[in-house]
């Protein structure tokens, strides 16, 4: 069984141990903007439901971002009346900014959020967070598009939701079914590493978080929900669609260029203690073979096209050499990024130089086959030349993969695991009650709901005006959007 956390910085998932402690297990965040009428009924209803159905300690956090009505006053009154309620006040709008700030400051091992209108049936809350508590999943989302979901909403909202998810599937290859349902949860250890990579501070925040998590191989659990549309909800279709498409383009470009360090989010093999490390099996061999075959097939077509073009004005040997050179450079670049997952510009020149050596071997094979063909006949047909070159390229392809894997792009992760540490993850404090030794859970015992003791409070003055995000996220600056795309609800 593996006990290390290579190749990323996230440890293996573990079930939160049961026990008594003061820290809440679940922190449910309600982001609000000018919700003076709906806030109090929402919080009271959610609190009553959690007290009846949730077996562990919990907290409800109101994230008020720049409300201009009496929402801040309502929040403070609820915080004073109910020991399970906390209030945050941010001076800038943005649902993503609100969630980032509160989640970054929270000490609960499970973080969730839901919309203030409570359109989602609360009976789905425990199934949402259960796989996170058990250690089975990293994130959980409610889905209105699942076959077993029951949804009541207008045709406009239905069209927008399904159209948006089709765009995500077609452009970003997203496999989750519902990006914008306001009903999600995440483990805190995952949030500490994932949130610094999420740039958006508005409504695209959810989508960006899910896409990055999915691309990094994190496990996303989907829960079918019953959902009733809020008749007072307003959606600015053109502005929302424009902002979302901009976000899709930005994230797609970042994924294509490899500028996101998603390897930091990789879970180690053997999260389940019953798993054993498989020995003598090269890591990623199946995936690399598939990627190499796809790149090789496209490169072969590209090579044959170039050869046919160059053959119009040059001899067979020169056309073969030139076509093979151009296609080899493209092949090395494609395999570097797509097959072996090497990102960034480091080592590009060395990889291309080694690729040219591999190209020389392929050139010797193909040139030798052409020489043998010409020796056998004085003027072979063009179709015969192509057939011989295809056979020679197949032999060169097998050798190319072996050389790429063992020499050009060797797997050196085992040698560098000890140095891959995210700078934004704080070091554990041995004096903290949640400090744990290697192989133990990063959280303390799973607290039961206390009968009389109040929950620990946030230092709300410290986190005014979004200071929490600045205090906990050092990886990259947040580039907030100036305007919000739509109203909360």
């Amino acid at each position: 069984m593996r006990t290390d956390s290579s190749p990323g910085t996230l440890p293996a998932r573990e079930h939160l141990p049961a026990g008594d402690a003061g820290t809440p297990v679940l922190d449910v965040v309600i982001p609000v903007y000018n919700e003076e009428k709906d806030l109090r009924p929402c919080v009271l209803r959610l609190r009553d439901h959690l007290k009846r159905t949730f077996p562990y300690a919990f907290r409800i956090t109101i994230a008020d971002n720049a409300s201009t009505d009496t929402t801040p006053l309502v929040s403070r009154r609820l915080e004073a009346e109910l020991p399970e309620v906390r209030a945050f006040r941010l001076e800038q709008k943005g649902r993503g900014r609100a969630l980032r700030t509160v989640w970054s400051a929270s000490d609960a091992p499970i973080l969730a959020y839901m919309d203030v209108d409570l359109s989602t049936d609360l009976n789905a809350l425990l199934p949402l967070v259960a796989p996170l508590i058990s250690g089975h999943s990293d994130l959980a989302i409610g889905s209105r598009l699942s076959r077993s979901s029951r949804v009541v909403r207008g045709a406009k909202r239905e069209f927008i939701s399904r159209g948006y998810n089709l765009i995500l599937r077609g452009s970003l290859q997203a496999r989750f079914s519902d990006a914008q349902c306001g009903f999600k949860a995440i483990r805190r250890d995952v949030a500490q590493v994932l949130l610094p990579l999420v740039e958006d501070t508005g409504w695209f925040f959810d989508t960006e978080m899910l896409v990055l998590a999915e691309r990094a191989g994190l496990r996303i659990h989907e829960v079918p929900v019953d959902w009733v549309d809020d008749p007072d909800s307003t959606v600015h279709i053109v502005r929302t669609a424009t902002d979302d498409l901009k976000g899709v383009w930005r994230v797609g470009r970042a994924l294509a260029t490899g500028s996101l360090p998603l390897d930091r989010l990789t879970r180690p093999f053997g999260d389940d203690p019953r798993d054993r490390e498989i020995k003598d099996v090269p890591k990623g061999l199946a995936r690399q073979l598939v990627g190499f075959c796809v790149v090789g097939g496209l490169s072969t077509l590209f090579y044959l096209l170039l050869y046919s073009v160059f053959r119009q004005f040059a001899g067979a040997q020169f056309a073969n050499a030139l076509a093979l050179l151009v296609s080899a450079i493209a092949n090395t670049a494609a395999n570097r990024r797509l097959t072996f997952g090497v990102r960034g510009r480091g080592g590009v020149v060395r990889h291309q130089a080694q690729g040219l050596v591999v190209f020389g071997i392929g050139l010797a094979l193909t040139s030798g086959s052409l020489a043998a063909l010409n020796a056998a006949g004085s003027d072979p047909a063009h179709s015969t030349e192509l057939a011989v070159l295809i056979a020679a390229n197949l032999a060169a392809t097998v050798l190319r993969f072996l050389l790429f894997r063992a020499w050009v792009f060797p797997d050196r992760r085992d040698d560098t695991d000890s140095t891959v540490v995210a700078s934004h993850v704080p070091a554990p404090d041995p004096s903290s009650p949640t400090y744990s030794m290697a192989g133990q859970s990063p959280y303390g015992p799973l607290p039961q709901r206390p009968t009389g003791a109040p929950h620990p409070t946030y230092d709300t003055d410290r986190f005014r005006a979004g200071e929490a995000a600045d205090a906990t996220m050092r990886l990259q600056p947040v580039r907030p959007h100036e305007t919000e795309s739509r109203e909360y609800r």
Side-chain angles (χ1 to χ4, degrees):
M1 180 182 70
R2 290 187 60 151
T3 58
D4 63 279
S5 59
S6 61
T9 60
L10 288 176
R13 305 183 195 91
E14 292 185 359
H15 194 300
L16 301 180
D20 294 323
T23 303
V25 172
L26 174 65
D27 192 348
V28 182
V29 181
I30 304 176
V32 292
Y33 173 73
N34 290 347
E35 298 287 356
E36 57 185 1
K37 295 182 180 180
D38 294 338
L39 179 57
R40 185 177 183 85
C42 163
V43 172
L44 293 178
R45 180 182 165 193
L46 176 59
R47 174 179 176 268
D48 291 342
H49 177 83
L50 288 172
K51 288 181 71 68
R52 286 187 295 104
T53 63
F54 194 68
Y56 308 114
F58 66 88
R59 177 191 295 134
I60 301 173
T61 302
I62 304 170
D64 168 34
N65 47 121
S67 292
T68 57
D69 59 2
T70 61
T71 297
L73 178 60
V74 176
S75 302
R76 289 193 295 269
R77 286 178 178 174
L78 288 169
E79 182 181 29
E81 295 173 10
L82 306 175
E84 300 89 357
V85 177
R86 296 293 175 264
F88 257 56
R89 167 70 179 180
L90 292 87
E91 301 302 330
Q92 291 178 293
K93 291 178 61 177
R95 181 178 69 171
R97 180 182 289 107
L99 292 176
R100 186 204 311 274
T101 303
V102 177
W103 280 354
S104 300
S106 179
D107 54 356
I110 306 299
L111 310 169
Y113 95 90
M114 61 181 58
D115 292 335
V116 69
D117 55 22
L118 294 185
S119 296
T120 305
D121 182 16
L122 293 178
N123 287 326
L125 183 56
L126 185 56
L128 183 79
V129 301
L132 307 187
I133 294 176
S134 70
H136 175 271
S137 300
D138 301 296
L139 299 90
I141 65 173
S143 175
R144 299 164 295 184
L145 302 181
S146 174
R147 290 185 178 181
S148 57
S149 298
R150 295 182 295 180
V151 177
V152 178
R153 61 177 168 181
K156 181 178 71 173
R157 295 290 295 270
E158 182 77 11
F159 174 78
I160 293 173
S161 180
R162 293 189 178 275
Y164 181 63
N165 282 281
L166 284 176
I167 292 175
L168 294 181
R169 288 176 178 272
S171 59
L172 299 179
Q173 289 78 50
R175 294 191 297 270
F176 49 84
S177 64
D178 194 349
Q180 290 288 17
C181 181
F183 195 69
K184 295 182 176 67
I186 186 173
R187 287 177 64 100
R188 189 188 68 193
D189 57 345
V190 176
Q192 288 175 342
V193 185
L194 178 60
L195 292 184
L197 305 180
V198 181
E199 180 178 328
D200 192 81
T201 60
W203 285 82
F204 189 71
F205 175 89
D206 303 55
T207 302
E208 186 171 357
M209 179 180 67
L210 291 174
V211 169
L212 298 185
E214 188 176 71
R215 286 299 186 94
L218 299 183
R219 187 172 293 163
I220 302 175
H221 178 72
E222 294 198 15
V223 177
V225 297
D226 296 340
W227 196 85
V228 179
D229 192 9
D230 181 5
D232 297 327
S233 179
T234 59
V235 178
H236 303 287
I237 298 178
V238 176
R239 189 167 61 189
T240 299
T242 301
D243 291 342
D244 288 344
L245 290 176
K246 289 180 179 178
V248 170
W249 168 257
R250 175 175 55 80
V251 172
R253 182 178 57 184
L255 292 173
T257 58
S259 60
L260 292 169
L262 298 182
D263 55 334
R264 296 180 179 177
L265 302 174
T266 303
R267 287 285 193 184
F269 177 80
D271 285 349
D272 192 319
R274 295 169 295 182
D275 290 340
R276 296 176 299 167
E277 183 177 9
I278 300 177
K279 303 206 180 279
D280 301 327
V281 175
K283 300 177 181 178
L285 178 59
R287 181 189 61 80
Q288 291 179 356
L289 276 173
V290 172
F292 184 81
C293 289
V294 172
V295 173
L298 296 176
S299 298
T300 301
L301 294 177
F302 183 51
Y303 160 77
L304 294 175
L305 176 63
L306 291 177
Y307 178 81
S308 298
V309 173
F310 296 153
R311 191 66 174 86
Q312 301 299 321
F313 57 86
Q317 293 287 1
F318 179 82
N320 171 66
L322 186 58
L324 194 58
L325 175 62
V326 176
S327 61
I329 295 175
N331 181 275
T332 301
N335 277 306
R336 181 180 188 271
R337 174 66 182 89
L338 302 176
T339 303
F340 298 97
V342 180
R343 300 179 177 89
R345 298 182 178 179
V348 172
V349 176
R350 175 173 58 85
H351 292 154
Q352 285 292 350
Q354 291 172 315
L356 289 178
V357 175
V358 178
F359 152 75
I361 298 175
L363 179 61
L365 287 175
T366 54
S367 297
S369 63
L370 282 177
L373 179 64
N374 290 326
S378 58
D379 190 17
H382 182 65
S383 58
T384 305
E385 287 183 352
L386 291 180
V388 170
L389 288 175
I390 290 174
N393 267 282
L394 288 176
T397 297
V398 176
L399 183 60
R400 186 184 305 121
F401 176 76
L402 296 176
L403 290 175
F404 272 0
R405 182 176 175 83
W407 180 47
V408 183
F409 307 110
D411 187 358
R412 296 192 178 95
R413 289 181 296 179
D414 293 337
D415 300 331
T416 58
D417 286 345
S418 60
T419 62
V420 181
V421 178
S423 61
H424 60 280
V425 179
D429 181 6
S431 64
S432 171
T434 59
Y435 175 78
S436 60
M437 301 301 290
Q440 297 179 348
S441 170
Y443 308 112
L446 190 62
Q448 308 295 330
R449 185 188 304 134
T451 56
H455 296 311
T457 60
Y458 287 129
D459 183 3
T460 54
D461 292 337
R462 176 184 176 191
F463 299 107
R464 301 294 181 186
E467 295 177 6
D470 296 334
T472 58
M473 293 179 288
R474 306 294 186 187
L475 182 63
Q476 65 181 33
V478 177
R479 296 182 287 275
H481 301 291
E482 297 297 330
T483 59
E484 188 67 9
S485 63
R486 50 183 136 158
E487 297 293 331
Y488 285 114
R489 286 191 298 172

